[in-house]
Amino acid sequence: MTDNSTTGLAMSAKDHRRKRRRQRGREALRGYLFLAPWLIGVACFVCYPLFYSVYISFNKVSIAKDGSGLAYEWIGWGNYRYSFLRDNVFPIEMLSFLRELLFIVPITVIFSLLVAVMLNQKFRGRMFFRMIFFLPVIFATGEVLTELFSQGQGAIPFGDQYDVEALIYGIFSPNVASTIMSVISRFVIILWSSGIQIIIFLAAFQTIPQSAFEAARIDGVTPWESFWKITFPVIVPFIALNLIYTLVDQSTNPFNPIIAHILKNMSDAETGYGYASALGWIYCAITLVPILILARFGRPANKRKG
Amino acid sequence: MVLLNRVRRYWARHHIAERLRVAFVGRQIVDGLLFKAALIAILISVSVLYVKPLLYMMSTSLKTLPDLLDQSVRWIPNTLEWLNYEKAIGGLKYWRSLGITSFIALTAAVLQTLACGITGYAFARLHIPGKKFWFAIVILTFLIPQQTLVIPLYVIYVKLGWLNTVLPFIVPAIVAQGIKGSLFIIIFRQFFSTLPKELEESARMDGAGAFRTYWKIMIPLSRPALLIVFLFSFVWHWNDYFEPALYLKGADFYPLSLSLEHLQANLNFMSGSSSGLTNVVVDVNEPIKMAAAFLIILPPLILYMFAQRYFVEGIERTGIVE
């Protein structure tokens, strides 16, 4: 702020403060004006649906008898109890989905890290490979993926040759083995979802100044050591970020059985919107737990940087 | 013996051993030819595994049924069966779906890019009381799975009579919501906060208001960010199938991402209506399905051929990682 007290037109401290306040007010107003479309959007398409969804998850929702719309009947935690105690599909699917996530998420992130490290080397044609690895982001649409999967094109090719199935069932318990087999049967499709993550890692590598590597090199540090001592610490928060991104991304995956189950229950007269909403909230709660843990894990490193 | 000695001396004097070592193994392992050869070999084999389903799609789409069953024909069909594509175009109602998809994706992407740009700018630069709180909400909306919100949204759209229209895709885009809207806001915020602050200050000195500054100075500067957000928004709207599957239930109005589902029905209908016989059923075989799948992904692939630089460099250039 300019100091007016030295000029002839001195302003009293009170006026000065008032003027400043008014200016800040105007600035805030302008800020909110810019934010207005988004605020409206959040109110209409996030907040209202969220509260409504919480509300109907405690209700039994059915079509009103006079056909005027929906009828609500408050049943408290009934829907939630039903999902775990009486629904004989949901808990099993949720569990098997979570077990698959346990494989899918690390596979995606580790794969994208490996590819990013390879693409970060200097050699001719790396732009070509970048193009290849980003390709699936462009065409990976649900029905095409499920079609390729149904024709067995998602599997790794040597799976059948060496009879991996018998081997895996031999080593692991049936539960774990069936999860592994389901992951293997669409392994390539899983790898396909790593395009954005690869780019994020590549961009993360760019943030490390080249001089750090040069200095290390003069001191006789091997590339292997400089990866673990220089590169890796920098990308730890990005590993967390990519884990979160992958987790969020999986919720829109066409192979996510929970979506199918929710949609099925939505149109089911017996269960309806109320129950389907409750399922949505259970799914949300379960996936937000690892995300929040990862966010906490990634944050201290971020703070240190900035 | 003499010769051998000369060779040995020549070898030593010109440091050939050292030079060869440097060339192959490198001063550091990552500089050497051996390492690079191994690297490229690994990358090629992973890439082959990676694009194999795509190649399979293309090759199968051109096979005749005998070729499909013939074990000796793996990748290259004996005769190219272009009729598969003809059938697929008919069965998908391709041109119509293409038009619908283009319209939805283009409109939604343009609107979403503009709206998210304004929001991102506000978060990056303007004075907003409670900004941290609002930004936390942006992040939260990114993290909440669609499954949680989809039922109320569906009920709202039913009440508003928006089912089987394009409105559920376009209206959220206007208010910076929609597919990954929060991600785009984060990208814009990141981008705008890397621009120098002096830009706005000098604009204000010259008497420009906030809107003028944004429109005349920030927008032209943010072309890379606008382009990348637009491209992603376009492709993600194009590929989206979850929301269209829910909101577009009319049999006659569906985008390309859903059209595979209607392939069999449309083909049956077409053959039934042309021959007048009900028992003539065009069996949708694998080649036709693959031709249809390829037709569905073809437009984004063509877009990618032209814009791949921006797709790949975009995230790096917008500085989302900083």
Side-chain angles (χ1 to χ4, degrees), chain A residues 83-274:
Chain A
S83 72
F84 286 109
L85 300 178
R86 306 238 339 258
D87 188 332
N88 44 24
V89 180
F90 177 71
I92 296 165
E93 271 186 348
M94 193 73 220
L95 206 63
S96 74
F97 176 65
L98 286 176
R99 264 206 302 260
E100 278 182 19
L101 275 188
L102 228 51
F103 288 93
I104 290 172
V105 174
I107 287 173
T108 316
V109 174
I110 291 171
F111 176 78
S112 52
L113 181 58
L114 287 178
V115 170
V117 167
M118 285 196 277
L119 291 181
N120 199 40
Q121 306 297 327
K122 285 190 185 61
F123 62 94
R124 225 175 258 180
R126 60 190 196 147
M127 278 316 286
F128 170 75
F129 286 113
R130 280 189 185 196
M131 203 185 89
I132 294 270
F133 285 108
F134 199 73
L135 194 57
V137 177
I138 307 304
F139 69 79
T141 156
E143 289 200 355
V144 172
L145 290 187
T146 43
E147 193 53 46
L148 283 172
F149 169 69
S150 75
Q151 304 201 3
Q153 283 304 308
I156 14 183
F158 41 84
D160 300 332
Q161 275 167 12
Y162 301 110
D163 199 11
V164 172
E165 186 161 4
L167 183 74
I168 285 173
Y169 271 96
I171 299 173
F172 300 101
S173 71
N175 259 337
V176 181
S178 69
T179 310
I180 295 178
M181 279 319 293
S182 140
V183 167
I184 286 180
S185 71
R186 53 191 165 92
F187 198 79
V188 175
I189 293 176
I190 291 168
L191 295 188
W192 274 3
S193 59
S194 58
I196 301 271
Q197 290 90 322
I198 291 174
I199 301 288
I200 290 178
F201 275 136
L202 277 174
F205 291 144
Q206 306 299 315
T207 62
I208 309 170
Q210 210 54 43
S211 53
F213 292 107
E214 274 157 24
R217 197 168 156 169
I218 289 165
D219 290 343
V221 173
T222 63
W224 174 255
E225 283 168 331
S226 73
F227 175 79
W228 289 109
K229 296 273 162 62
I230 303 173
T231 313
F232 193 72
V234 174
I235 58 170
V236 165
F238 295 101
I239 293 177
L241 176 72
N242 271 338
L243 286 170
I244 294 174
Y245 184 85
T246 313
L247 266 171
V248 172
D249 202 38
Q250 283 299 317
S251 82
T252 56
N253 188 292
F255 299 99
N256 185 337
I258 311 301
I259 300 181
H261 192 62
I262 290 175
L263 294 183
K264 203 183 86 215
N265 277 293
M266 224 173 119
S267 50
D268 190 333
E270 188 60 37
T271 47
Y273 295 157

Side-chain angles (χ1 to χ4, degrees), chain B residues 44-56:
Chain B
I44 287 178
S45 39
V46 178
S47 306
V48 168
L49 179 75
Y50 213 65
V51 288
K52 199 184 138 246
L54 199 62
L55 297 176
Y56 168 87

Side-chain angles (χ1 to χ4, degrees), chain A residues 55-61 72-82 271 274-275 278:
Chain A
Y55 172 71
I56 60 175
S57 76
F58 291 107
N59 278 277
K60 184 166 177 54
V61 181
Y72 305 93
E73 182 198 335
W74 184 265
I75 53 169
W77 292 95
N79 283 324
Y80 292 90
R81 264 201 305 274
Y82 183 89
T271 47
Y275 182 55

